[in-house]
Amino acid sequence: MLHLGGLRTALFNYLLSRRYGGAFVLRIEDTDQTRLVPGATENIINTLEWAGLTFDEGPGRSSAGNYFQSQRADIYRKHAQILLDQGAAYRCFCTPERLESLRTSMASQGRPPAYDRNCRHLSQRQIDEKLRLGEPYTIRLLAPNPVDQASAHVGQFDDAVHGHMHFRGPAGFDDAVLLKSDGLPTYHLANVVDDHLMGITHVLRGEEWLMSTPKHRALFTAFGWPIPQYAHLPLLMNPDGSKLSKRNRDGPVQQYIDDGYLPSALVNYTALLGWHPESNQELFTLQELESQFSLSGLGRSKSVVSRERINWLNRQHIRMALGDSERSAVLVKKACKELAKAPNCDAHSADERTVHKALDLCCDRLTFTSELFSKAPFMFVDPDLLTPEATKLLNKVPEDSRIPIISCVLSNIQSEFKPEWQSLVKTVAEAAQVPNKQVMMMLRFALTGQSSGPKIPDLLDALSIDTIKRRLHRAAHLQK
């Protein structure tokens, strides 16, 4: 499942490519066979499509090339051999047991885990013998010495987020495994090779990879390739200060989809998790983000994930969508599907025209379109006028005024054309000799059975004449 942090990384890469006319490349990093999850690739692709982030190159696109790293093993082995031939890498025959013992020993000494270069000093004769015997091996990077003036540059670079970085070692300069014993590469080798072969100029990724950047720069240097611009994005945090993970409810993007957030709202929200626009603008469409995004707006501070914030944005995007014919059509179809699953909702009354009216009427009170029936059941079914809430509302209107109010309203809406409702209320109040407020309360009782809701003129505009008449007759019948 794509994580919210993964969506943010994809979004920022997408926005950068769109802002400056580049290509957005989707590459599936599946070389760790022990961590493969069935359906994960499909989830990533479907989620990006749901969010509107169309990739230019990647699985299923017409561009030449294979974008599954597990299917590019020959390419990585070829480049690992180049490093061996140059002396920039070496074979390591250490067993898992020895490596575990080494990690335990170093941990007991309070030292960070690092390989001791035991196999770096094997003679060619020893290596050949081990190969002849079929002993499994990995290929390790021969990390440069950070104090060596000739190689110190790999630990010094300008990160687009964190500014100038200077790694002096030993962190970032360990002899990392490049090719595993199963013949598949690690992230370090595969991504460096692919970044070069695919013409990647900018790499935006999580800051957990910041410490590995000297190794990656060392690999680019060993191959004689230009080094891309790096931007390491700060972590996403929970409100309690802990790291947001896939196990958190707010981690998987699929959870937000299932909860009913609009793609535009989640994209807007995700963009603001670490990017700061030059203006005070808070609401963005994807097109606006494409035209305004820049690396200079990325901040170093960790971002806290807030449901309160995204809920507010979702409410705004519902309103924004209703103001656009194309987006409102999508919103209405979404709400219709949700209403079809709502218990007690009359499927026949939940047509697209009625749903659109209901959304317009209640958008100020909706966080999700799935709340439409609970917020405005009166748009789809006749209200229950015997509930305690309805009874309390009715009791605010004197008994001897109820029938006169209903009769006056009915006598003024006999035609198929709706009257001007504000004038009607005033006319009815004068004819029934009651305050305007009592007319409003009686109408609210008859039409919704609820003590609060949309303004009465707006409600009368949204309901059909036939519905209004039917509900007024129902209310009058209860008074007899």
Side-chain angles (χ1 to χ4, degrees):
M1 294 292 186
L2 187 64
H3 182 265
L4 186 63
L7 177 64
R8 181 185 65 168
T9 300
L11 174 61
F12 287 172
N13 277 280
Y14 168 86
L15 294 176
L16 187 67
S17 70
R18 292 297 179 266
R19 175 74 189 276
Y20 298 105
F24 176 45
V25 181
L26 175 62
R27 197 166 62 209
I28 305 300
E29 299 166 358
D30 58 348
T31 58
D32 189 345
Q33 299 293 294
T34 63
R35 300 178 63 186
L36 291 183
V37 177
T41 298
E42 291 76 10
N43 175 263
I44 292 172
I45 294 174
N46 292 338
T47 301
L48 293 179
E49 290 179 348
W50 174 85
L53 309 185
T54 304
F55 53 91
D56 302 296
E57 299 179 28
R61 294 291 185 262
S62 59
S63 301
N66 194 318
Y67 295 90
F68 289 87
Q69 289 187 333
S70 62
Q71 298 175 25
R72 296 167 59 84
D74 289 344
I75 296 174
Y76 307 128
R77 284 194 286 267
K78 172 186 172 183
H79 284 84
Q81 186 60 51
I82 292 174
L83 295 174
L84 286 173
D85 294 342
Q86 292 179 348
Y90 60 93
R91 291 183 177 87
C92 174
F93 296 90
C94 289
T95 64
E97 292 74 23
R98 182 185 184 278
L99 294 174
E100 181 58 35
S101 176
L102 178 63
R103 279 191 290 268
T104 301
S105 174
M106 298 186 78
S108 67
Q109 299 172 44
R111 296 164 57 192
Y115 183 58
D116 61 358
R117 292 190 167 177
N118 178 67
C119 291
R120 170 72 182 90
H121 308 292
L122 293 175
S123 67
Q124 189 59 51
R125 183 176 179 179
Q126 290 173 308
I127 294 173
D128 290 342
E129 178 62 15
K130 289 178 179 293
L131 291 175
R132 187 186 68 81
L133 294 173
E135 291 188 24
Y137 65 89
T138 61
I139 294 180
R140 289 182 178 273
L141 168 70
L142 180 58
N145 187 338
V147 300
D148 184 350
Q149 192 64 32
S151 58
H153 70 281
V154 302
Q156 298 186 51
F157 57 93
D158 291 323
D159 185 86
V161 175
H162 296 272
H164 185 70
M165 305 298 298
H166 188 180
F167 288 83
R168 297 175 174 81
F173 287 88
D174 56 299
D175 289 5
V177 172
L178 302 178
L179 203 68
K180 297 175 288 186
S181 58
D182 61 4
L184 289 174
T186 60
Y187 175 90
H188 307 301
L189 177 63
N191 278 44
V192 166
V193 170
D194 285 347
D195 283 349
H196 174 72
L197 296 182
M198 296 180 182
I200 304 300
T201 59
H202 292 74
V203 177
L204 280 65
R205 61 188 183 184
E207 69 177 5
E208 63 268 24
W209 292 108
L210 186 58
M211 294 293 290
S212 296
T213 306
K215 289 191 281 285
H216 301 163
R217 289 175 56 83
L219 282 169
F220 276 106
T221 300
F223 284 122
W225 296 337
I227 303 174
Q229 169 71 63
Y230 286 100
H232 289 87
L233 309 174
L235 297 174
L236 298 183
M237 311 298 289
N238 292 306
D240 63 3
S242 61
K243 177 183 175 182
L244 184 72
S245 73
K246 292 181 180 179
R247 291 179 293 276
N248 294 116
R249 188 178 185 278
D250 292 339
V253 178
Q254 189 61 49
Q255 187 63 60
Y256 293 89
I257 297 174
D258 293 343
D259 287 346
Y261 290 98
L262 301 185
S264 59
L266 186 61
V267 166
N268 188 163
Y269 175 70
T270 305
L272 298 177
L273 292 174
W275 174 68
H276 308 283
E278 295 181 359
S279 66
N280 293 325
Q281 183 176 348
E282 294 181 280
L283 300 177
F284 291 90
T285 63
L286 183 57
Q287 291 71 31
E288 289 173 327
L289 290 170
E290 290 174 7
S291 65
Q292 297 186 39
F293 179 81
S294 67
L295 292 178
S296 61
L298 296 177
R300 302 181 188 181
S301 301
K302 294 176 175 58
S303 298
V304 176
V305 173
S306 166
R307 283 281 178 150
E308 181 180 348
R309 176 69 170 163
I310 190 175
N311 285 348
W312 180 82
L313 283 169
N314 208 57
R315 289 193 288 271
Q316 309 313 310
H317 276 266
I318 288 175
R319 286 198 282 270
M320 288 167 62
L322 289 171
D324 177 90
S325 58
E326 185 175 340
R327 294 172 62 196
S328 66
V330 174
L331 194 69
V332 167
K333 289 183 184 299
K334 179 179 186 294
C336 284
K337 290 181 180 179
E338 293 163 343
L339 284 165
K341 302 175 184 177
N344 305 319
C345 180
D346 181 358
H348 296 292
S349 65
D351 59 273
E352 291 189 5
R353 186 168 177 270
T354 303
V355 170
H356 200 306
K357 287 183 177 181
L359 288 169
D360 281 332
L361 191 66
C362 302
C363 63
D364 288 339
R365 298 185 293 136
L366 291 176
T367 298
F368 304 100
T369 54
S370 59
E371 298 172 338
L372 186 58
F373 185 72
S374 63
K375 298 289 186 182
F378 47 80
M379 288 297 296
F380 309 102
V381 295
D382 288 340
D384 182 352
L385 300 181
L386 299 178
T387 65
E389 181 181 8
T391 301
K392 184 177 180 181
L393 175 61
L394 179 63
N395 288 337
K396 294 180 180 180
V397 182
E399 286 188 37
D400 58 354
S401 298
R402 297 170 188 174
I403 294 297
I405 290 174
I406 293 175
S407 298
C408 286
V409 173
L410 285 169
S411 66
N412 280 274
I413 57 171
Q414 291 305 312
S415 71
E416 59 179 294
F417 299 104
K418 293 184 178 181
E420 205 286 308
W421 295 116
Q422 292 281 16
S423 300
L424 174 67
V425 169
K426 184 177 180 181
T427 298
V428 170
E430 291 175 353
Q433 298 184 339
V434 296
N436 287 6
K437 185 177 180 180
Q438 288 187 12
V439 177
M440 294 288 200
M441 285 191 291
M442 194 63 205
L443 286 171
R444 188 174 296 282
F445 165 78
L447 300 177
T448 73
Q450 297 178 350
S451 58
S452 62
K455 295 178 180 178
I456 292 300
D458 294 338
L459 177 62
L460 290 166
D461 271 331
L463 296 172
S464 69
I465 288 290
D466 287 343
T467 298
I468 294 171
K469 289 179 180 179
R470 183 178 68 252
R471 293 184 184 179
L472 287 171
H473 283 298
R474 286 178 71 238
H477 181 73
L478 289 176
Q479 309 312 311
K480 297 176 180 177

